Amino acid sequence: MVEAIFGFLARLIWWVLIEWIGYWTGRAAITALSLGRLDVADFEHYNHKSFKPIYYYGMQRVVSSWAAIIFGQLLWFGAFVGFAVYLKLR
């Protein structure tokens, strides 16, 4: 039972870290690639427009936080795969 509790807590901490890292990486990448034209929703407001990856808040286009998380996680996954391929070809 104790192993199950520790396993659950370890997975929970891992999931939270991956979400935070993905969010901040995605937020920085989206802001940089759009040259500041797109804003990213705050992490706490992930349910504001839950099914729209990009929505308007007044005149400003806003990328939802879940889209930023997915984009950031894809960037990290691509970096990992690229590094693994680089080491294999080396």
Side-chain angles (χ1 to χ4, degrees):
M1 183 73 167
V2 174
E3 292 174 1
I5 293 171
F6 284 138
F8 172 76
L9 288 176
R11 283 191 303 269
L12 180 66
I13 291 170
W14 177 254
W15 181 75
V16 168
L17 286 175
I18 293 299
E19 290 250 335
W20 281 352
I21 291 170
Y23 172 73
W24 288 107
T25 304
R27 182 181 180 121
I30 289 170
T31 304
L33 291 174
S34 69
L35 300 175
R37 293 182 186 157
L38 290 175
D39 193 18
V40 178
D42 290 332
F43 193 67
E44 300 89 30
H45 302 294
Y46 62 90
N47 282 330
H48 184 68
K49 302 267 186 175
S50 62
F51 296 112
K52 292 186 176 183
I54 297 176
Y55 59 91
Y56 285 93
Y57 188 73
M59 296 295 292
Q60 178 68 36
R61 283 185 291 184
V62 179
V63 177
S64 66
S65 62
W66 64 265
I69 290 169
I70 291 171
F71 187 68
Q73 288 176 347
L74 285 175
L75 285 175
W76 280 106
F77 181 72
F80 175 74
V81 169
F83 185 68
V85 169
Y86 170 74
L87 288 179
K88 185 176 181 180
L89 294 177
R90 195 167 173 220

